[in-house]
Amino acid sequence: MKGAVHNKRYILVIMWCSLLYCPNIYGQQGVAKDSLNLRNVRFTKNKFINKIFQQAVGSVTRDGSGNIITRGKSEDPYLPYQGKIIRNIYVTTLNFDRSFTDTAHRDKGILTTIGKGLHRVTREFVVRNNLFVKEHTELNAYKVADNERYLRTLDFISDARIIVQPVRGSKDSVDLQVYTKDFFPISGGMASAGLNHVTTNLYDANIGGLGQRLELASLYDYNRHPYWGYGGLYRQNNVGGSFVDATVGYSVMNINSYTRTEESQTYVALSRRLLSPYSKIAGAISFSTNQAYNLYNAPDSLFYKYKYDFFDVWAGYNVAIGRLTATNNSIRDRRFFSMRYYKRNFYEVPWQIDKKFHFIYNTSEAVLGQITFFRQDYYKTQYVYGFGTTEDLPYGYNIAVVGGWHTQLGRERPYAGLNASRYLATSKGDFVELYMRSGGFLWNKGLQDGGFVVGAAVYSRLAFVGSTKIRQYINASFSYQHQTVTGPPLRLNTPYGLRGFLSDSVNGARRLSVQLETTFYLRWRLLGFQFAPFPYADFALIAPENWPTSRSSLYTSLGGGVRMRNENLVFETIEARAFFFPVAPSNMRAFKIIVSANLRYRYPSSLITAPDIVQLN
């Protein structure tokens, strides 16, 4: 359940910002015009802004210091207006110096002032293009809640509120006030493992307030030939109002997530998420070409040289959505059918592999179909991953049944799999996910590469000790594999294993793991930074196939750290974590400290996913 976006792990982190914008080039007409539209609101703009948080909350509680904590179903604020006609939609975009959790506060520090000079507030039309709630239609409480949540998933939006305002003199019409708060989008970093290895990156996630992302990266390594590496990507959000995101990228220093090898990569991608349960279509298409070079003069026996192309396309349709919601648009149970085709085609295979089965270096191809049954709504809450910003956690169910045909190194096999999750949210604020993933291939009337993982993850209710907020995280899972031929073995360096465990030399066919973590959100601040210290402990048993449980090896990861965040500066969440492994393999240190920067934590939930082979790691 743990998830983060833009996660870069650095031994030494130096955050910096060097890109200059001049707000006067663009002017502020869009925001000024929108502010005038607030004449229909019963409050002045400043007073109204200060009531955003209170009006948008379905139910609230308070911490030991009296601060408001959000807790409520996301659709609750809109249900009283169900079925009324949306007359006008007004949009106001707020800069990053405002906070919905403390709306009366406005940061006027020198760093904030400098940052505001570098950043152009998101333009009104960009936010409007990301609205699928339309004027002159009936208000659907669930759909409005979905749209508010979708705005919060955008890379350049920190928080969002959609507030309903009754129209004076009309019993059947309302206006919608849409407020968004920006992230400061310009950021970067530098990592160094001594002067012989230095990496840097710089990105702007909201160029000119247009919702476009540009990222550049570089590498210097004295042992690399050539010494310098570079890469970059460009992403356009919501091309032409189609809700299709487009990405192009090129790098000569890409680290392959499977081989852990530095390679060159060129890729293009188009993707469209299922925006809400009322949306009809979703899908994606991508293409990349990847090639490994012996840049570090490794001996031929140790270097795995390869070259391949990867093509992937999938599309799906929300079955009978029109008929299902024609008479009752509050029905949330859905059936989504999707198809996928992908092919990883190796033009050059490492000579060490040749024509043997290998879960990475074989040409593979698949045609998969999937039917997903789901009902997924959301609670709005806080202090799960963030430091008081609004977070959306699901409740409901998601069951995906997948089947199809898979070919690897000439071996053609039918495949079937199941991916099921049940999300629970208690009235006290506990969040629970129960999950089960299973799949396998049929070969010679038997099962190959079969297995399953079953588990539960829990975020406890928020507890208060004075002004300190405390939340407990527990994740327990059991994984099993049967007759592995082409797939990878179960490992510990996965989300189902031990955090911080980087070695892939420990593997098996059965794995039992428990992860524990307690986070303390402190009220105390230093230079605008909030702090959340945490201790953690992970335990895992792993054993090869056919070994008795008594011979399973126990591995442990112990430690703790602190996360820190300043909502108004360029940094995302920064985490310093210390790891200690009482039993460590020979190729891994028993103690280490890792500083991670540019973390944007978010609960990893989506309505549907592309058809895929069930992954146990």
Side-chain angles (χ1 to χ4, degrees):
M1 286 174 62
K2 285 265 183 180
V5 182
H6 311 314
N7 184 347
K8 294 182 171 28
R9 292 185 173 182
Y10 295 151
I11 302 300
L12 172 65
V13 179
I14 305 173
M15 299 301 296
W16 53 279
C17 168
S18 62
L19 203 57
L20 181 63
Y21 289 105
C22 179
N24 295 328
I25 294 176
Y26 303 108
Q28 298 293 331
Q29 294 89 345
V31 176
K33 179 180 178 181
D34 185 74
S35 300
L36 294 175
N37 288 332
L38 293 179
R39 62 181 179 272
N40 294 313
V41 183
R42 289 171 291 180
F43 309 101
T44 64
K45 182 179 179 181
N46 288 335
K47 289 182 180 179
F48 185 76
I49 293 293
N50 290 337
K51 292 181 180 292
I52 290 176
F53 188 62
Q54 289 86 342
Q55 293 186 36
V57 173
S59 60
V60 299
T61 187
R62 294 177 182 271
D63 66 13
S65 301
N67 297 318
I68 293 176
I69 306 297
T70 312
R71 190 181 71 231
K73 295 181 179 180
S74 59
E75 68 273 11
D76 282 352
Y78 312 113
L79 287 174
Y81 308 99
Q82 179 82 2
K84 293 185 181 295
I85 301 301
I86 301 172
R87 189 185 66 167
N88 296 310
I89 299 177
Y90 302 120
V91 174
T92 298
T93 56
L94 305 177
N95 217 325
F96 61 89
D97 61 331
R98 305 301 295 267
S99 172
F100 287 170
T101 58
D102 186 7
T103 51
H105 174 73
R106 192 164 192 166
D107 195 316
K108 297 181 180 179
I110 183 63
L111 293 177
T112 301
T113 302
I114 294 173
K116 289 176 68 175
L118 300 172
H119 170 50
R120 170 62 161 91
V121 179
T122 300
R123 304 186 188 214
E124 177 187 335
F125 79 87
V126 174
V127 176
R128 286 191 179 275
N129 281 346
N130 284 284
L131 296 177
F132 46 84
V133 175
K134 302 300 181 183
E135 295 174 335
H136 312 302
T137 62
E138 289 188 0
L139 188 148
N140 180 340
Y142 295 91
K143 195 172 183 179
V144 175
D146 290 336
N147 208 154
E148 184 188 85
R149 175 179 54 82
Y150 170 74
L151 290 174
R152 283 193 287 270
T153 67
L154 301 178
D155 284 347
F156 48 92
I157 299 297
S158 169
D159 210 342
R161 293 286 189 276
I162 299 180
I163 300 176
V164 181
Q165 285 296 315
V167 176
R168 286 184 178 180
S170 176
K171 295 182 179 180
D172 62 353
S173 296
V174 295
D175 291 338
L176 296 186
Q177 303 285 344
V178 180
Y179 289 86
T180 62
K181 178 202 167 187
D182 282 3
F183 276 115
F184 186 89
I186 307 168
S187 188
M190 179 182 294
S192 174
L195 296 178
N196 289 336
H197 183 96
V198 180
T199 61
T200 62
N201 82 312
L202 175 69
Y203 68 82
D204 187 340
N206 193 5
I207 302 173
L210 296 173
Q212 304 175 25
R213 181 186 184 92
L214 178 65
E215 183 168 353
L216 302 173
S218 68
L219 163 69
Y220 171 78
D221 194 312
Y222 180 78
N223 298 313
R224 186 182 188 274
H225 302 280
Y227 298 139
W228 289 95
Y230 56 88
L233 68 81
Y234 169 79
R235 179 177 299 129
Q236 169 68 64
N237 163 261
N238 195 1
V239 178
S242 63
F243 292 97
V244 173
D245 299 333
T247 305
V248 296
Y250 177 73
S251 176
V252 298
M253 48 179 282
N254 179 64
I255 302 298
N256 188 294
S257 59
Y258 292 101
T259 67
R260 307 307 302 169
T261 301
E262 187 177 313
E263 63 180 20
S264 66
Q265 182 187 61
T266 303
Y267 65 95
V268 295
L270 299 172
S271 64
R272 189 183 195 275
R273 289 180 282 172
L274 191 68
L275 307 175
S276 86
Y278 298 93
S279 302
K280 292 183 178 181
I281 61 173
I285 182 171
S286 63
F287 174 80
S288 71
T289 178
N290 304 62
Q291 185 169 359
Y293 298 94
N294 193 356
L295 301 172
Y296 293 89
N297 294 327
D300 290 343
S301 59
L302 299 180
F303 177 69
Y304 282 45
K305 183 174 176 60
Y306 62 83
K307 180 180 180 180
Y308 71 88
D309 292 339
F310 183 63
F311 175 75
D312 189 3
V313 59
W314 76 276
Y317 185 77
N318 214 344
V319 180
I321 181 63
R323 295 195 302 273
L324 187 64
T325 60
T327 57
N328 184 356
N329 59 21
S330 65
I331 298 175
R332 301 284 281 178
D333 297 277
R334 297 292 187 268
R335 295 165 293 166
F336 190 87
F337 179 74
S338 53
M339 292 290 297
R340 181 184 182 189
Y341 169 78
Y342 69 80
K343 183 175 183 179
R344 180 177 281 105
N345 186 28
F346 276 87
Y347 296 102
E348 185 173 355
V349 178
W351 64 265
Q352 297 94 328
I353 302 300
D354 194 20
K355 296 182 179 180
K356 296 180 294 186
F357 282 114
H358 194 278
F359 63 94
I360 295 177
Y361 299 109
N362 293 157
T363 292
S364 59
E365 186 176 13
V367 177
L368 300 172
Q370 180 172 280
I371 181 72
T372 304
F373 305 89
F374 70 94
R375 175 172 182 161
Q376 202 158 307
D377 295 291
Y378 289 83
Y379 270 91
K380 287 195 294 190
T381 188
Q382 295 168 283
Y383 298 103
V384 177
Y385 288 124
F387 287 79
T389 56
T390 307
E391 301 178 69
D392 302 281
L393 270 69
Y395 65 96
Y397 66 89
N398 191 300
I399 302 172
V401 181
V402 62
W405 201 262
H406 183 271
T407 301
Q408 183 170 342
L409 202 64
R411 177 170 291 194
E412 298 183 3
R413 299 177 295 177
Y415 175 82
L418 175 68
N419 193 335
S421 296
R422 181 73 168 95
Y423 304 97
L424 305 170
T426 70
S427 60
K428 298 294 186 180
D430 302 302
F431 296 94
V432 181
E433 180 189 359
L434 307 174
Y435 56 89
M436 193 274 285
R437 301 174 180 92
S438 179
F441 298 90
L442 184 64
W443 179 255
N444 285 340
K445 299 182 180 180
L447 184 67
Q448 280 188 348
D449 292 310
F452 67 85
V453 56
V454 59
V458 179
Y459 285 98
S460 73
R461 67 197 65 182
L462 202 60
F464 305 98
V465 177
S467 62
T468 300
K469 308 166 190 68
I470 304 172
R471 199 182 289 272
Q472 176 70 44
Y473 169 74
I474 304 172
N475 190 353
S477 67
F478 175 73
S479 307
Y480 172 78
Q481 261 186 340
H482 173 74
Q483 199 172 342
T484 303
V485 177
T486 63
L490 298 178
R491 305 190 308 270
L492 291 185
N493 58 337
T494 78
Y496 300 114
L498 300 181
R499 285 170 287 187
F501 197 92
L502 301 181
S503 173
D504 59 3
S505 62
V506 179
N507 52 65
R510 284 174 295 161
R511 178 184 59 212
L512 175 64
S513 66
V514 177
Q515 299 176 344
L516 306 172
E517 184 170 300
T518 303
T519 305
F520 301 85
Y521 294 94
L522 307 180
R523 189 185 183 192
W524 176 76
R525 298 191 182 199
L526 178 64
L527 300 177
F529 280 89
Q530 297 173 270
F531 296 86
F534 59 90
Y536 87 93
D538 295 349
F539 307 91
L541 287 167
I542 192 165
E545 193 170 1
N546 299 323
W547 277 40
T549 304
S550 59
R551 297 184 61 184
S552 301
S553 299
L554 175 64
Y555 291 87
T556 306
S557 176
L558 304 172
V562 62
R563 300 185 188 98
M564 46 189 174
R565 169 87 170 136
N566 187 322
E567 296 288 345
N568 298 319
L569 297 185
V570 306
F571 313 118
E572 299 292 357
T573 301
I574 302 171
E575 178 185 279
R577 184 186 290 257
F579 302 86
F580 173 64
F581 305 97
V583 178
S586 58
N587 61 347
M588 195 180 79
R589 289 178 294 174
F591 177 80
K592 60 183 176 182
I593 297 176
I594 292 181
V595 178
S596 305
N598 286 348
L599 293 174
R600 185 181 179 187
Y601 279 110
R602 176 173 290 144
Y603 191 94
S605 66
S606 58
L607 296 173
I608 54 95
T609 58
D612 199 4
I613 306 298
V614 171
Q615 304 298 319
L616 303 181
N617 284 314

